[in-house]
Amino acid sequence: MKKTSSASLAVLCAIFASGLFSCATTSSVAKKDSEQESVQEQTAPAQEEAVPQHEQEPAKTIPTVTFKGRGVKIEAEDMFLDGLSMYKDDSASQGYAVKIDASGTAACKVVLSEGTWECLAREQAFQTDESELFIDISGTYYKVYPSNPPLGSWELTTRSPVYLHIEQETTIDVCLNASSPTEKGSGGMNIDYIQFVKMR
């Protein structure tokens, strides 16, 4: 009898121990699941944040921009890029810029009110002979370039401003090119933005 009761007692102890082990395992798994759920709940809002404009796809059509106040600034990466690529640059005004090559273009339309407007581009040139850029405004090509030197820094093309005299509110076509119909350019410079400021 003693042997039988000892064996029964051993079986009962084994069942009890396995029940404890299984409960511990279940509770730790359940705890792990609840921890993962709370982590997912914390990270979900970050995934729902809006994607910055410049990290979205480039413009599929030529955008139209209307002046506000004294003027308008058009980021090069927001223009319609044909054969050009934008790249990340923390020193650019919105953290992105566009590299100009010999054949690509960047285009937009701008609505300007009556008055005299000054147009400048913010450009980064690396070589003196590869610093000239053409701004085609409704079929008229204007050659612009930054100061020379310095090279390699962002500069407005104040050395070669473009002035427009608008008689009534007009939508102009704007296109950035390395070349004009009469002069072949070389590309190699970068563009941050162009701006139109009303002088009077």
Side-chain angles (χ1 to χ4, degrees), residues 11 69 82 97 103 118 122 165 176 186 191:
V11 169
D82 183 8
S103 58
E118 179 186 63
R122 189 170 190 237
H165 304 287
L176 305 179
S186 58
I191 298 297

Side-chain angles (χ1 to χ4, degrees), residues 21-82:
F21 179 77
S22 115
C23 288
T25 306
T26 306
S27 67
S28 68
V29 168
K31 187 176 178 185
K32 262 189 186 174
D33 287 345
S34 68
E35 281 175 1
Q36 285 176 351
E37 284 172 10
S38 69
V39 168
Q40 286 172 352
E41 286 172 4
Q42 290 172 358
T43 57
Q47 292 170 353
E48 290 171 9
E49 286 178 8
V51 177
Q53 181 179 357
H54 305 309
E55 292 181 14
Q56 297 175 2
E57 289 185 11
K60 300 283 187 193
T61 59
I62 296 175
T64 300
V65 183
T66 303
F67 75 94
K68 292 179 183 177
R70 272 198 66 212
V72 61
K73 179 171 96 170
I74 305 112
E75 296 288 333
E77 63 272 16
D78 291 338
M79 299 173 77
F80 177 73
L81 304 178
D82 183 8

Side-chain angles (χ1 to χ4, degrees), residues 76-93:
E77 63 272 16
D78 291 338
M79 299 173 77
F80 177 73
L81 304 178
D82 183 8
L84 301 181
S85 57
M86 69 176 184
Y87 66 95
K88 188 153 181 52
D89 183 342
D90 293 336
S91 66
S93 69

Side-chain angles (χ1 to χ4, degrees), residues 81-169:
L81 304 178
D82 183 8
L84 301 181
S85 57
M86 69 176 184
Y87 66 95
K88 188 153 181 52
D89 183 342
D90 293 336
S91 66
S93 69
Q94 294 291 326
Y96 289 85
V98 170
K99 180 168 278 303
I100 300 292
D101 67 23
S103 58
T105 59
C108 68
K109 293 177 181 289
V110 184
V111 180
L112 298 178
S113 65
E114 176 187 353
T116 300
W117 293 83
E118 179 186 63
C119 174
L120 301 173
R122 189 170 190 237
E123 181 182 341
Q124 184 183 47
F126 300 97
Q127 295 182 36
T128 301
D129 58 353
E130 291 183 357
S131 63
E132 295 170 345
L133 175 76
F134 288 93
I135 302 178
D136 170 6
I137 299 179
S138 296
T140 302
Y141 285 74
Y142 300 89
K143 185 192 287 187
V144 298
Y145 42 87
S147 299
N148 229 341
L151 292 170
S153 59
W154 287 110
E155 286 187 81
L156 285 170
T157 54
T158 53
R159 195 171 166 210
S160 54
V162 174
Y163 292 102
L164 303 173
H165 304 287
I166 307 292
E167 294 183 2
Q168 61 183 11
E169 187 173 290

